[in-house]
Amino acid sequence: MMEANLDSARNIAPESLRHIHLIGICGTGMAAMAAMLQQQGFVVTGSDENIYPPMSDYLAELGIEVMAGYKAENLNAQPDLVIVGNVVRRTNPEAVELGRLGLSYLSMPQALGHFFLQQKKSLVVAGTHGKTTTSSLLATTLHRMGVTPGFMIGGLVEAFGRNAHVSDTEYFVVEGDEYDTAFFNKVSKFQHYQPFASILTSVEFDHADIFVDLEAIKASFAEFIGRIPPGGALVAHTEDPVVAELAANNAVCPVISYGTNESCQWFLTDLQVKGLSSSFRVHYQGKEIGTCQLPMPGLHNCLNGLAVIALLHRLGFTFEDIVQGLSSFEGVKRRQQIRGVVGGVTVIDDFAHHPTAVRETLNALRLAWPNNRLLVVFEPRTNSSRRAVFQSTYTTAFSAADKVLIRKHVPLDTVPLSEQFSSPQLAADLQTRGTEAYCFDDTEAILTFLEKTCRSGDIVVILSNGGFDGIHERLLTILGKLND
């Protein structure tokens, strides 16, 4: 099988530029990039092998041509620039043809940096957990204060109905992903995001398919932190010992600490949760300065809000304006999103898959509904969650649940079975710890169990980073028929 032979000298955007082609255009970030480039006046085309809603409809509405399948002839028009998605491998026929033709090319993160971050104050939200929610809080709050930023975020922000935006203001909010950039540029995406200031929420081991251990992840974050200029700022959750270490050893900019401890410059106290809303008292440099209302439950969400307060205060906005903006946050799709309530059963969709994210999400939902049964459906789907690396850690992540339903994972072709996650083993381990847990071969079996089990008052939370065979709507339909 042929492999792409790309000339590194062509890894640039040419000065004369009209037509841009995106390989892998139907990915969430790539589709957003296509729309942003079209908004800037470029002729945009693309290709993908997985063309389906909602991204196919989104691109069609914009009038962007999408070619079905990856083929060398898709580059017959010889675009001025090709943007190569992270999903593309060096054996991709368009990547091979790209090398043969000697066209200019960029990765999506490189394109974001080149076209949209220059001459902007790039506000990058980084960390193992909370990036999408925190960057959405930041972008929405700026918008509410009348300073609508440009942004590129890994989830659909309800305030905008999209995950990317081009703006004339000085700020651009970026979700700073530590995953690698492209097959020809094996560095973390956030290394291309030219940070003026950053929020760093947490640093843990993740992405076992590209990082060998925690030290490798720390090295990437250390490089990123060092890119923040002296005139910028790093807002760091220093109660995370790895974050504290990285900030102390690598920042050349001011470090603004936040957390729950009075040793932090910004800390919160008196957390109160009522349903899906929280409130907390905000302290700055040892003094209480006010209260924040946040339409989200859980300590982790409140800490995300506190980080936004700290950063925006640093940028010169008033506390009163910031908390007013935060209080109007509508949420992010797939982050504690209520998909429906039928027959008294509430169905919630959430992206959590890392053990820490699972634990914090479930703890927050338990605070929101302390007297209801919490039924958790978990699909191990990411590269890391399908490996044995988190097998034992998951056993402590579901303690807030009343029942846990685990789907068997789809095996990883390139990883020995002995090194892969075991859904039956997790179910058995949870049972040993006193949590009712079951393993299922497929989604249909899970739905059958829920049909027989659910009763009014139950909270069903579905944890997956994928579509999960449309389980959310299928469950709501089943519940509707039971209540006809």
Side-chain angles (χ1 to χ4, degrees):
M1 186 176 291
M2 293 186 65
E3 292 189 351
N5 181 20
L6 302 185
D7 180 357
S8 59
R10 303 298 294 169
N11 187 202
I12 56 170
E15 291 185 12
S16 178
L17 181 56
R18 176 177 173 270
H19 177 195
I20 301 175
H21 181 81
L22 288 80
I23 309 178
I25 193 172
C26 289
T28 303
M30 290 286 279
M33 174 61 65
M36 293 164 67
L37 289 168
Q38 185 191 59
Q39 187 177 342
Q40 296 295 88
F42 297 107
V43 173
V44 179
T45 60
S47 59
D48 210 303
E49 62 182 356
N50 297 310
I51 303 174
Y52 49 81
M55 288 306 164
S56 58
D57 293 341
Y58 175 63
L59 293 166
E61 288 171 5
L62 294 172
I64 293 175
E65 179 187 1
V66 180
M67 305 166 196
Y70 298 125
K71 307 181 187 72
E73 52 264 35
N74 289 345
L75 296 181
N76 282 352
Q78 298 211 11
D80 304 305
L81 175 68
V82 177
I83 297 177
V84 183
N86 178 264
V87 70
V88 176
R89 300 293 173 255
R90 61 177 66 251
T91 54
N92 182 295
E94 280 183 55
V96 173
E97 182 70 357
L98 168 64
R100 189 187 74 80
L101 294 172
L103 302 176
S104 295
Y105 64 95
L106 295 173
S107 66
M108 191 275 284
Q110 288 174 327
L112 183 63
H114 176 80
F115 290 106
F116 301 104
L117 300 184
Q118 296 186 43
Q119 313 305 318
K120 295 285 186 179
K121 287 184 176 177
S122 176
L123 309 177
V124 184
V125 179
T128 309
H129 312 297
K131 293 186 293 292
T132 301
T133 298
T134 308
S135 51
S136 299
L137 280 165
L138 179 57
T140 300
T141 303
L142 281 166
H143 175 59
R144 296 289 184 235
M145 294 191 299
V147 191
T148 303
F151 61 83
M152 171 76 84
I153 296 172
L156 291 174
V157 187
E158 294 285 10
F160 300 91
R162 54 187 182 274
N163 70 322
H165 180 66
V166 180
S167 167
D168 291 332
T169 66
E170 63 181 319
Y171 298 112
F172 199 105
V173 175
V174 192
E175 178 176 337
D177 189 358
E178 68 271 24
Y179 204 79
D180 66 356
T181 297
F183 74 82
F184 53 85
N185 186 216
K186 305 300 280 186
V187 301
S188 293
K189 293 176 183 176
F190 58 33
Q191 306 297 3
H192 298 289
Y193 292 162
Q194 306 168 28
F196 170 76
S198 176
I199 292 172
L200 182 55
T201 64
S202 54
V203 178
E204 289 191 66
F205 181 65
D206 198 3
H207 308 306
D209 52 324
I210 60 170
F211 291 109
V212 296
D213 53 24
L214 178 59
E215 291 304 313
I217 290 177
K218 286 167 63 176
S220 187
F221 275 97
E223 182 179 350
F224 168 76
I225 290 169
R227 294 180 184 275
I228 304 172
L234 173 64
V235 177
H237 183 214
T238 51
E239 290 173 335
D240 179 322
V242 181
V243 170
E245 173 195 339
L246 289 169
N249 294 338
N250 299 283
V252 295
C253 64
V255 175
I256 302 169
S257 59
Y258 74 95
T260 60
N261 192 289
E262 61 184 17
S263 63
C264 298
Q265 290 170 265
W266 291 87
F267 65 94
L268 64 83
T269 61
D270 195 24
L271 171 62
Q272 304 288 328
V273 178
K274 186 176 182 180
L276 290 178
S277 296
S278 303
S279 67
F280 55 92
R281 298 181 186 276
V282 179
H283 303 257
Y284 175 53
Q285 295 182 339
K287 297 180 180 179
E288 182 178 333
I289 61 171
T291 301
C292 180
Q293 304 283 337
L294 195 64
M296 308 171 74
L299 175 62
H300 68 299
N301 283 322
C302 292
L303 285 170
N304 294 338
L306 183 64
V308 170
I309 293 171
L311 177 55
L312 292 177
H313 184 270
R314 169 74 180 184
L315 295 176
F317 296 95
T318 68
F319 175 77
E320 291 74 19
D321 286 346
I322 298 166
V323 295
Q324 184 175 348
L326 284 171
S327 69
S328 67
F329 183 62
E330 295 99 331
V332 191
K333 288 191 185 299
R334 309 219 56 210
R335 270 65 176 183
Q336 295 179 359
Q337 180 190 7
I338 295 179
R339 294 289 292 267
V341 181
V342 178
V345 178
T346 302
V347 178
I348 294 177
D349 184 8
D350 198 272
F351 197 77
H353 49 271
H354 187 283
T356 300
V358 170
R359 183 183 67 247
E360 294 302 322
T361 296
L362 299 185
N363 285 345
L365 294 174
R366 174 52 70 204
L367 283 172
W369 285 284
N371 301 314
N372 299 66
R373 288 201 310 172
L374 190 61
L375 282 60
V376 180
V377 184
F378 175 54
E379 180 190 34
R381 186 175 177 275
T382 65
N383 270 294
S384 292
S385 66
R386 287 188 285 165
R387 297 169 188 250
V389 61
F390 293 135
Q391 184 77 51
S392 61
T393 315
Y394 275 124
T395 61
T396 61
F398 293 88
S399 58
D402 293 293
K403 297 179 188 291
V404 181
L405 287 57
I406 309 158
R407 192 193 189 283
K408 280 190 177 178
H409 82 282
V410 176
L412 291 159
D413 295 337
T414 58
V415 179
L417 284 176
S418 60
E419 298 177 15
Q420 296 196 38
F421 171 80
S422 168
S423 295
Q425 185 61 52
L426 176 56
D429 291 343
L430 290 173
Q431 290 275 16
T432 299
R433 293 179 61 88
T435 300
E436 190 176 339
Y438 306 92
C439 175
F440 298 88
D441 289 337
D442 52 38
T443 306
E444 286 68 26
I446 293 173
L447 286 167
T448 299
F449 181 92
L450 289 171
E451 181 178 3
K452 296 176 180 177
T453 305
C454 286
R455 61 178 188 242
S456 181
D458 284 349
I459 311 300
V460 180
V461 55
I462 297 167
L463 305 178
S464 172
N465 76 325
F468 206 157
D469 302 324
I471 190 172
H472 315 84
E473 293 303 320
R474 292 169 68 186
L475 176 57
L476 290 167
T477 300
I478 289 170
L479 293 170
K481 291 178 179 178
L482 291 175
N483 287 274
D484 283 345

